[in-house]
Amino acid sequence: MFQFNPPKDFLHNRYVLITGASDGIGKTCAETFAGYGANLILLGRSQEKLEKLFDRLDVLAPGRITIQPVDFATATTEDYKVLAEHLNAQTSVLHVLLHNAALLGTRTPIQYYPESDWETLMKVNVGSGFYLTKALLPLLLAADSARILFTSSSVGRKGRAWWGGYGVSKFAVEGLMQTLADEVGTTTSIKVNSINPGGTRTAMRQTAYPAENPASQPTPESLMPVYLYLLSEQAAAIHGKALDVRNFDPATV
């Protein structure tokens, strides 16, 4: 597994927004980035979980944690506009936007796939990435070298039976990443990539594979060196790439 040990303050004064921050990989990213000095804006569905995370992180990073409950399944364009206005009131710049929120949905053949699940997954897994990025681009453009990281999946790079809306939504995420990367690549300093964490010991993984032994998969904590690297100056040349945490090697990107 790739290793990276940056200085403990390398995210000092950097503003980082994470969606899906109350569980799994998003939560671990929040805990990890807080330890490196980041100012965190944490979005998630569950206010209760976000408040518990805030209480824990505020001890580690007092005054540097902001939480905002958001349900992307019901969010409107006006909600995204209001969110951007709230962020503008807190900071004039955003250095990192990590799109991590996603729903798994039903795993069943397309023939039987529930229309309501399809629509909800597209709103959460794809729509949140589009609307939030669009709303926050002015803050990202104000940063000296901003990063946008979309969370992908192996089923969003090669179609696989019974993954339904989740798989298709991740293909759309890859398309959004590539389109945005091509647009900003030569005119701004923003770096845009997607990252496939691979099988990870999370609640979503357990739902997708209920018979699997969770211990057979790596923990979210073990993925953090790759995430940290992608926020570092060493990764400044990585742009428009579909990355995999497993077997990550900067020399081959």
Side-chain angles (χ1 to χ4, degrees):
M1 186 72 77
F2 175 76
Q3 295 299 314
F4 180 62
N5 297 298
K8 271 298 182 180
D9 62 348
F10 98 108
L11 292 178
H12 179 63
N13 283 337
R14 311 294 279 183
Y15 283 83
V16 179
L17 189 149
I18 303 171
T19 71
S22 57
D23 279 305
I25 293 172
K27 179 181 177 182
T28 302
C29 283
E31 295 168 340
T32 303
F33 299 166
Y36 284 93
N39 297 294
L40 297 175
I41 302 128
L42 307 178
L43 276 55
R45 279 184 299 169
S46 171
Q47 181 166 338
E48 180 181 1
K49 290 181 179 180
L50 284 175
E51 288 176 348
K52 288 181 179 178
L53 182 58
F54 174 87
D55 290 343
R56 186 163 66 256
L57 293 184
D58 193 51
V59 175
L60 173 66
R64 293 194 278 112
I65 311 299
T66 302
I67 59 172
Q68 178 63 57
V70 179
D71 186 351
F72 291 130
T74 59
T76 64
T77 52
E78 182 63 24
D79 291 329
Y80 287 102
K81 180 181 177 182
V82 170
L83 176 59
E85 290 172 351
H86 286 169
L87 291 180
N88 270 295
Q90 298 173 37
T91 177
S92 60
V93 65
L94 183 64
H95 299 91
V96 178
L97 175 54
L98 172 55
H99 292 291
N100 181 72
L103 296 177
L104 177 64
T106 306
R107 290 190 61 202
T108 190
I110 293 295
Q111 181 181 359
Y112 306 111
Y113 203 85
E115 288 86 352
S116 59
D117 273 24
W118 183 275
E119 293 171 3
T120 300
L121 258 70
M122 295 306 157
K123 285 195 70 175
V124 175
N125 298 6
V126 185
S128 66
F130 165 72
Y131 288 110
L132 199 56
T133 300
K134 188 173 187 290
L136 299 181
L137 266 174
L139 288 175
L140 291 158
L141 287 166
D144 51 1
S145 180
R147 310 294 166 87
I148 302 175
L149 194 59
F150 292 92
T151 303
S152 187
S153 170
S154 60
V155 297
R157 294 174 178 171
K158 186 179 188 303
R160 196 179 306 168
W162 307 306
W163 278 87
Y166 182 82
V168 174
S169 71
K170 291 301 183 179
F171 269 98
V173 165
E174 292 286 358
L176 177 57
M177 179 278 289
Q178 291 180 27
T179 301
L180 182 63
D182 201 43
E183 290 175 353
V184 304
T186 58
T187 58
T188 80
S189 61
I190 298 174
K191 305 302 179 184
V192 186
N193 298 287
S194 68
I195 184 167
N196 168 30
T200 310
R201 201 180 307 173
T202 62
M204 180 182 285
R205 176 74 183 191
Q206 192 65 32
T207 300
Y209 296 94
E212 181 180 76
N213 177 6
S216 67
Q217 298 299 327
T219 64
E221 288 78 8
S222 70
L223 314 182
M224 291 303 102
V226 176
Y227 281 83
L228 289 169
Y229 183 83
L230 293 173
L231 305 190
S232 71
E233 286 302 312
Q234 290 92 320
I238 301 177
H239 178 68
K241 302 295 185 180
L243 306 168
D244 292 290
V245 170
R246 304 284 183 91
N247 302 316
F248 178 78
D249 182 357
T252 62
V253 173

